[in-house]
């Protein structure tokens, strides 16, 4: 199969779509983030890539805290809006219903199926546009209607994924099989 080189591009497709909450100058602020992923299992940690010039970054650095909220498909237009306007120009504090947990400076979103309040462990300045922020998940809050057997159920949460440069949002696809199970009958090529 012929391969075309695309260079140093961030094509780890697809991206998750999350809303990150911060407290900036005493006000809740939310922005959309696609550069986000789990980086440690126990304790649960995640990392985000956040532009150093964003309004949210100011609050994140001051409080060493933020929240990560997973919006459902139904919230997509509001999530897109949060990623189009800056809190430095438009007050985004009333965009969602806010609730708070134990981490100061990490306002969370009631409408989201799942929210995580996070404490910053490391802010890495690697010289690019973004800070790489590694954070510990202090608590996870999930709406009961999105759980099956006490665990988050993506078929109920209806999270959104994103492809960049064509800038398109996607729902999750069909169920393909169980992890640590499908490979059992796989026969590697000799
Ligand atoms: C789908 C989508 C994904 C985005 N992903 C990121 C991201 O991963 N990192 C980032 O710094 N900005 C990202 N942005 C841009 C910010 O959300 C946007 O610039 C926002 O208006 C900044 O808000 P603030 O200035 O109030 O913090 C994304 C925007 C959209 C629409």
């Amino acid at each position: 199969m012929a391969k075309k080189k695309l260079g140093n591009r961030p094509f780890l497709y697809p991206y998750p779509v999350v809303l990150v909450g911060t407290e900036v100058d005493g006000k809740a602020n939310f922005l959309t983030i696609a550069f986000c992923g789990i980086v440690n299992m126990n304790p649960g940690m995640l990392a985000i890539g956040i532009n150093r010039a964003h309004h949210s970054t100011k609050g994140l650095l001051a409080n060493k805290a933020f929240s990560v909220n997973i919006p459902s498909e139904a919230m997509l237009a509001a999530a897109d809006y949060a990623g189009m306007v800056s809190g430095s120009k438009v007050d985004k504090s009333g965009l969602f219903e806010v609730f708070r947990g134990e981490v100061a400076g990490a306002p969370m979103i009631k409408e989201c199926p799942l929210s995580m309040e996070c404490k910053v462990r490391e802010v890495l300045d690697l010289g690019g546009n973004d800070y790489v922020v590694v954070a510990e998940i202090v608590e996870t809050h999930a709406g009961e209607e999105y759980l099956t057997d006490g665990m988050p159920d993506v078929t109920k949460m209806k999270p959104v994924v994103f492809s960049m440069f064509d800038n398109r949002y996607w729902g999750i696809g069909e169920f393909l099989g169980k992890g640590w199970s499908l490979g059992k009958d796989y026969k590697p090529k000799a």
Side-chain angles (χ1 to χ4, degrees):
M1 193 195 305
K3 300 276 190 187
K4 188 168 161 47
K5 287 183 181 171
L6 299 178
N8 169 244
R9 309 299 297 275
F11 287 133
L12 188 62
Y13 275 17
Y15 303 89
V17 174
V18 299
L19 287 159
V20 164
T22 56
E23 191 95 35
V24 192
D25 300 331
K27 257 190 188 166
N29 191 60
F30 300 98
L31 90 163
T32 313
I33 288 278
F35 295 173
C36 179
I38 293 290
V39 294
N40 197 58
M41 179 81 161
N42 193 10
M45 287 191 219
L46 52 79
I48 61 171
I50 188 164
N51 191 291
R52 56 184 74 227
H54 285 338
H55 191 62
S56 304
T57 310
K58 200 172 143 189
L60 183 154
L61 294 177
N63 298 312
K64 296 261 176 276
F66 62 94
S67 71
V68 171
N69 307 266
I70 302 178
S72 59
E73 287 177 14
M75 300 174 62
L76 191 50
D80 192 49
Y81 176 80
M84 291 171 66
V85 299
S86 174
S88 62
K89 297 211 171 74
V90 176
D91 181 0
K92 291 190 270 184
S93 62
L95 202 53
F96 305 105
E97 205 177 326
V98 170
F99 74 102
R100 290 167 197 280
E102 59 187 273
V103 177
M108 290 173 280
I109 300 174
K110 238 184 192 157
E111 298 90 316
C112 283
L114 191 140
S115 300
M116 291 167 270
E117 42 181 327
C118 304
K119 262 190 193 152
V120 171
R121 289 278 294 261
E122 294 283 346
V123 177
L124 305 174
D125 183 350
L126 303 177
N129 304 329
D130 300 337
Y131 289 124
V132 177
V133 183
V134 181
E136 186 166 333
I137 302 163
V138 173
E139 189 53 273
T140 306
H141 306 261
E144 286 206 40
E145 63 273 41
Y146 300 106
L147 303 179
T148 298
D149 298 331
M151 289 291 155
D153 183 334
V154 289
T155 64
K156 296 177 179 172
M157 292 168 66
K158 297 198 185 310
V160 175
V161 293
F162 186 65
S163 53
M164 205 169 245
F165 303 108
D166 60 352
N167 292 342
R168 294 201 281 176
Y169 295 107
W170 306 84
I172 57 161
E174 74 269 31
F175 170 67
L176 299 175
K178 295 273 286 179
W180 283 278
S181 174
L182 268 183
K184 279 185 193 154
D185 298 326
Y186 180 73
K187 305 262 182 292
K189 283 175 206 150

